[in-house]
Amino acid sequence: MTELASIAAYDPHERVWNPAMPLLFQHRIGIETRAMHPTCLRAYVAQTLVGTGLTDASGEPLTMQPHDFRRIFITDAVMNGMPPHIAQLVAGHRVIDTTMGYLAVYPQEVIEAHRAFIVRRRATRPSEEYRTPTDEEWDSFLGHFEKRKLSIRTCGRAFSTPCVHEHACLRCAMLRPDPAERPRLVDIRGNLTDRIAEARREGSLGEVEGLETSHAGAEDKLSQMDAVTARAAKAVDLGMPTFHQIAGRAINTQRPPPSSAP
């Protein structure tokens, strides 16, 4: 690739000569290298589009201006990971709002970019932050919000937030099961087992997958209940010591006889 020469170009809008730089669009005129005039660039772009036969959404021949390439560059750079404030400096904009006005973003690209951002952020954070919280940590967290009472205990969602699981509580890690409700959960697990068998018998494979996910959630919640019960069984009640035990001596409750001395 031939290295671009650094040349000065006249800015007709500001009416000043810009410092010499390796401009992308330059050509030789005689023995000099000069920047291409905007009119010349527009003619080249128009001739190229006519040769490609490209059309817009309405079927008309596609038209572009040289300035459109700035929009294409900014959109491509930001969508491939360049921070918008860096794109602002590259484009030479004074305010980032101008840069964002050049950026063409579509809903699917927003979703994919957000997912990629979450994956990158999680990769940089310690895995300890994504472990299952202990009962003490849950109780401390839930103390800041109004608890939601469910059939087998409480939901740990923050107050006034929607349920992203559509109330499929057995599948949700936010459900904190109560060991006292174990018989109810055993009945739910049995009902799910029967429904899975029925769905397989009827050939409803799509429904089987959802039911098996709920069945696995019920098994997980039963394991949590059993773990809580096991910890409670290991606890030893030391009782409340009396005042005599704390003082370490017996207390004489009888009053001494009155003294006869004057």
Side-chain angles (χ1 to χ4, degrees):
M1 180 180 292
T2 303
E3 183 178 357
L4 296 174
S6 295
I7 57 177
Y10 183 74
D11 188 339
H13 300 286
E14 300 293 337
R15 297 183 179 182
V16 295
W17 283 90
N18 292 322
M21 61 184 68
L23 299 177
L24 177 61
F25 297 104
Q26 53 180 261
H27 58 172
R28 298 282 295 182
I29 299 179
I31 61 174
E32 295 182 352
T33 301
R34 297 182 182 180
M36 288 186 180
H37 193 275
T39 302
C40 181
L41 287 176
R42 292 189 183 94
Y44 285 158
V45 172
Q47 293 174 8
T48 302
L49 289 175
V50 170
T52 61
L54 297 175
T55 59
D56 57 18
S58 62
E60 298 294 329
L62 185 64
T63 59
M64 292 184 66
Q65 299 296 327
H67 200 75
D68 292 330
F69 290 99
R70 286 174 62 86
R71 303 179 185 276
I72 295 173
F73 168 77
I74 293 175
T75 299
D76 187 66
V78 173
M79 294 308 299
N80 283 277
M82 178 181 287
H85 65 281
I86 301 299
Q88 172 196 351
L89 298 177
V90 173
H93 295 151
R94 291 185 178 180
V95 294
I96 197 171
D97 291 343
T98 305
T99 309
M100 299 307 294
Y102 278 55
L103 180 61
V105 180
Y106 304 95
Q108 186 60 32
E109 294 173 342
V110 174
I111 295 173
E112 293 177 357
H114 176 69
R115 288 176 175 173
F117 170 76
I118 294 298
V119 171
R120 291 195 302 270
R121 286 297 300 271
R122 287 185 173 178
T124 60
R125 302 184 70 87
S127 57
E128 176 68 13
E129 296 187 5
Y130 299 100
R131 62 176 174 78
T132 302
T134 63
D135 289 339
E136 292 76 12
E137 291 171 337
W138 266 110
D139 292 338
S140 176
F141 174 78
L142 293 177
H144 299 283
F145 306 100
E146 181 178 342
K147 296 182 179 180
R148 295 172 173 84
K149 182 63 178 177
L150 303 176
S151 61
I152 55 176
R153 200 188 176 187
T154 53
C155 174
R157 288 187 295 118
F159 184 66
S160 76
T161 58
C163 178
V164 298
H165 301 284
E166 298 181 355
H167 302 282
C169 300
L170 290 179
R171 310 178 186 182
C172 183
M174 304 298 283
L175 174 63
R176 308 302 296 168
D178 184 1
E181 300 296 335
R182 194 179 194 283
R184 181 193 296 269
L185 187 54
V186 170
D187 291 341
I188 294 175
R189 181 185 60 179
N191 179 263
L192 288 170
T193 302
D194 295 340
R195 290 176 60 191
I196 291 173
E198 180 182 3
R200 286 176 175 168
R201 186 171 59 253
E202 298 297 332
S204 302
L205 301 182
E207 187 175 355
V208 169
E209 182 179 357
L211 291 172
E212 287 180 340
T213 303
S214 297
H215 189 276
E219 293 284 1
D220 180 64
K221 294 300 182 291
L222 285 171
S223 298
Q224 294 181 29
M225 289 180 174
D226 294 339
V228 172
T229 303
R231 287 195 298 270
K234 295 179 180 179
V236 178
D237 185 10
L238 300 178
M240 180 64 68
T242 63
F243 177 76
H244 301 284
Q245 294 171 333
I246 296 175
R249 59 185 179 85
I251 302 299
N252 186 5
T253 58
Q254 295 182 357
R255 298 180 63 183
S259 177
S260 58

